[in-house]
Amino acid sequence: MTEKIFVDNLLSGRVALVTGGGTGITAGVARALAGAGARVVLVSRKMEHLEPAAEVIRRDGGDALPFAADVRSFEDVERAVAATVAHYGKLDIVVNGAAGNFLCPAEELSANGFGTVVDIDLKGTFNVCRAAFGELKRGGGSILNISATLQLLGTPLQLHASAAKAGVDALTRNLAVEWGGHGIRTNAIAPGPIEDTEGIKRLLPEPLKEKLRRRIPVGRFGRVADVAHLAVFLCSDAASFVNGAVIVVDGGHWLNANRLLSPEG
Ligand code: COA
């Protein structure tokens, strides 16, 4: 990340576990946390995604540990938390970014397809929060869930992901209330269309890209840094009274829904 937004070492001394931290938006979040001084553990299924991401962080002077685990497995997640504590001595920040998605009409979606996405996005988020609870409450921790904007309206071909992310939003608010008293803040970021991510490349057909861009009020796609900056803020003491927030980062896109009168006509 080239732009310098925050004071140096804002998260120095903190240890963060970032699921989905090998690729996409969450890899950018992991780099930003490391750039702010946190030591990060990158967790996802595939070591071949994690090693290069960890290497980028180390090259920039940060400290990163890759750990292969499937968030759908509570035992895997418990091992990831244990490895974090064994390697870095503690755990302060959890970022739940691991997600799976594909486009599929509801009437063609299999029960297993629906369940697979809910298991990764929602149950995976629960698994990590639950496994990390003991460590997070030790020092006053922070949970950051990566949500979406799909579920705010009815999004065709995205029933499974919308249901999962609606659950992530609910989990965020519930944990904020239940665990706030343990000194753990739980928040979420809901990114809209972010350029150069798998979501845009794989899920959005090329001809629709320009059409979508025109519907984003600020006139551009988001950047990974737009999400990462907010992530650093939410995980820092600057946000010590922010708990249970689901913050949309989409340039105003979801509000510009399909109404009768829209700015672009
Ligand atoms: N359309 C419809 N159903 C699909 C599908 C698609 N494109 N992709 C997967 N499914 C269904 C499968 O058919 C299967 O259901 P079935 O047993 O009834 O046939 C179920 O989902 C599980 O699929 P499988 O491939 O065995 O699961 P997996 O755990 O290996 O991977 C995903 C599931 C969702 C993670 C897979 O789509 C994937 O690897 N995606 C790339 C990573 C990604 O999505 N990143 C996030 C980008 S926003």
Side-chain angles (χ1 to χ4, degrees):
M1 203 149 304
T2 51
E3 301 148 287
K4 186 165 160 21
I5 303 283
F6 301 105
V7 295
D8 287 339
N9 300 317
L10 190 62
L11 298 177
S12 147
R14 309 281 169 88
V15 175
L17 185 154
V18 183
T19 75
T23 56
I25 294 175
T26 333
V29 168
R31 282 198 303 279
L33 297 179
R39 290 166 290 167
V40 296
V41 179
L42 307 177
V43 176
S44 77
R45 275 190 298 173
K46 296 184 182 147
M47 207 45 147
E48 67 258 34
H49 288 161
L50 298 175
E51 288 284 12
E55 202 38 53
V56 169
I57 288 174
R58 292 188 200 115
R59 201 189 55 210
D60 291 343
D63 193 341
L65 174 75
F67 190 91
D70 187 335
V71 295
R72 290 173 282 192
S73 157
F74 188 69
E75 290 71 29
D76 266 26
V77 168
E78 278 187 310
R79 275 194 288 274
V81 170
T84 304
V85 175
H87 195 76
Y88 290 127
K90 60 179 189 149
L91 175 57
D92 308 293
I93 296 167
V94 162
V95 179
N96 287 298
N101 201 4
F102 48 79
L103 298 176
C104 187
E107 68 273 22
E108 289 171 21
L109 185 64
S110 72
N112 192 34
F114 181 87
T116 297
V117 171
V118 170
D119 276 355
I120 300 170
D121 295 20
L122 177 55
K123 191 172 151 198
T125 297
F126 167 77
N127 283 345
V128 177
C129 293
R130 178 69 184 78
F133 172 72
E135 286 302 320
L136 292 177
K137 80 170 181 184
R138 226 181 282 281
S142 176
I143 295 169
L144 178 62
N145 298 326
I146 305 299
S147 182
T149 56
L150 307 164
Q151 72 282 9
L152 303 178
L153 296 167
T155 304
L157 316 181
Q158 289 284 265
L159 173 73
H160 41 308
S162 300
K165 293 299 191 180
V168 168
D169 291 352
L171 183 147
T172 300
R173 296 186 179 108
N174 276 273
L175 289 188
V177 170
E178 285 205 40
W179 290 358
H182 293 289
I184 302 170
R185 294 182 300 107
T186 308
N187 293 293
I189 299 179
I194 306 295
E195 66 188 356
D196 295 333
T197 57
E198 209 187 322
I200 289 287
K201 279 189 218 144
R202 204 165 48 83
L203 302 180
L204 186 69
E206 192 59 42
L208 292 183
K209 267 186 198 156
E210 180 50 25
K211 201 171 168 196
L212 171 60
R213 194 196 57 74
R214 283 202 305 270
R215 295 198 66 83
I216 303 172
V218 301
R220 66 166 175 89
F221 281 94
R223 302 179 188 115
V224 170
D226 293 321
V227 178
H229 291 147
L230 179 59
V232 170
F233 167 74
L234 287 173
C235 294
S236 78
D237 291 340
S240 60
F241 203 52
V242 183
N243 185 30
V246 179
I247 302 181
V248 174
V249 181
D250 76 340
H253 174 242
W254 89 270
L255 291 168
N256 194 19
N258 205 4
R259 303 284 156 80
L260 200 53
L261 296 173
S262 66
E264 73 271 26

